[in-house]
Amino acid sequence: DQQVKQNSPSLSVQEGRISILNCDYTNSMFDYFLWYKKYPAEGPTFLISISSIKDKNEDGRFTVFLNKSAKHLSLHIVPSQPGDSAVYFCAASRAELNDMRFGAGTRLTVKP
Amino acid sequence: ETGVTQSPTHLIKTRGQQVTLRCSSQSGHNTVSWYQQALGQGPQFIFQYYREEENGRGNFPPRFSGLQFPNYSSELNVNALELDDSALYLCASSLGPEVDTQYFGPGTRLTVL
């Protein structure tokens, strides 16, 4: 059962522009959402998270937006840099369960 | 401060065999979670160990088992290997069961022939 979906396998943007990565989920019981970044031959690295009681969380160039009614979250990267090129995973969990569900990932390429 | 390490990097086994994968947690971390990442998919939660006890399990059969040692290093054991077990196996350590503080290792690539 794929409770977390990233429908865009890849995204290409120009350096300096905004990157928007999208994620949808089906389980309304999820109350914590995370984004991870993964470079080749490395494990995923935590990027930013958001609790279901918020609709926006910002950390430098990275902002995550949560729309609970649409069961949708997005990650905005502004401005995009070539070093941001990686695979980005969206993940969701329930506080009382240690069972984090991941999307399939979106490969972001930022062109100089 | 050393990061999370996993061994071996790559492994090839045949169907029906057993395999043990190892994970060394980041210093001071008492929680380890294991994930299976099949090609083209996101990581899938296998189980978590907190202070040497299993603390949650995903939808994986009992032939997937684990251990956590007093130094908080961990093993993932898979018995009766199947072709579909071919995947990247990731471990992640954290200061506690909180999900946002997980630090992932680079993974072990298992191929079952």
Side-chain angles (χ1 to χ4, degrees):
Chain A
D1 66 0
Q2 201 174 354
Q3 298 187 30
V4 178
K5 295 182 182 179
Q6 293 176 258
N7 292 320
S8 297
S10 62
L11 175 68
S12 182
V13 300
Q14 207 66 36
E15 181 179 6
R17 307 292 290 266
I18 185 171
S19 295
I20 300 176
L21 296 97
N22 294 302
C23 178
D24 297 295
Y25 61 95
T26 57
N27 189 340
S28 58
M29 299 298 288
F30 287 140
D31 52 15
Y32 201 72
F33 304 89
L34 309 93
W35 285 94
Y36 282 83
K37 179 169 73 172
K38 186 179 186 301
Y39 293 117
E42 295 183 12
T45 303
F46 169 73
L47 194 56
I48 192 169
S49 62
I50 187 167
S51 163
S52 61
I53 63 173
K54 296 186 174 181
D55 55 19
K56 177 182 173 182
N57 188 26
E58 200 170 345
D59 183 2
R61 297 186 297 115
F62 303 92
T63 303
V64 56
F65 295 92
L66 176 62
N67 182 335
K68 288 188 291 292
S69 60
K71 295 191 181 69
H72 178 84
L73 66 155
S74 60
L75 174 68
H76 293 209
I77 307 173
V78 182
S80 301
Q81 299 173 354
D84 295 330
S85 297
V87 176
Y88 288 78
F89 290 101
C90 166
S93 71
R94 292 169 56 179
E96 71 274 19
L97 293 179
N98 300 309
D99 181 359
M100 191 156 59
R101 303 295 178 107
F102 283 79
T106 297
R107 181 176 300 279
L108 172 66
T109 303
V110 180
K111 298 180 178 178
Chain B
E1 181 179 271
T2 57
V4 179
T5 59
Q6 292 186 242
S7 62
T9 307
H10 296 88
L11 199 54
I12 299 175
K13 290 284 189 178
T14 56
R15 197 170 47 181
Q17 284 189 311
Q18 179 266 342
V19 69
T20 297
L21 310 182
R22 294 178 174 83
C23 173
S24 180
S25 303
Q26 187 159 318
S27 178
H29 287 188
N30 58 19
T31 304
V32 173
S33 300
W34 284 91
Y35 295 84
Q36 180 196 67
Q37 185 180 6
L39 201 60
Q41 297 183 22
Q44 278 198 317
F45 175 72
I46 303 175
F47 44 57
Q48 181 185 81
Y49 278 82
Y50 172 55
R51 293 185 174 177
E52 303 178 58
E53 298 283 336
E54 188 176 293
N55 186 46
R57 188 180 181 93
N59 190 25
F60 279 81
R63 58 189 186 84
F64 285 78
S65 63
L67 278 175
Q68 188 180 30
F69 300 100
N71 67 354
Y72 301 133
S73 65
S74 176
E75 285 182 357
L76 164 64
N77 298 290
V78 187
N79 293 322
L81 283 167
E82 301 176 0
L83 298 180
D84 286 349
D85 295 334
S86 295
L88 179 69
Y89 288 85
L90 295 161
C91 81
S93 75
S94 57
L95 285 166
E98 302 87 8
V99 293
D100 65 337
T101 58
Q102 291 190 81
Y103 295 84
F104 282 84
T108 293
R109 173 73 61 188
L110 172 65
T111 302
V112 182
L113 302 176

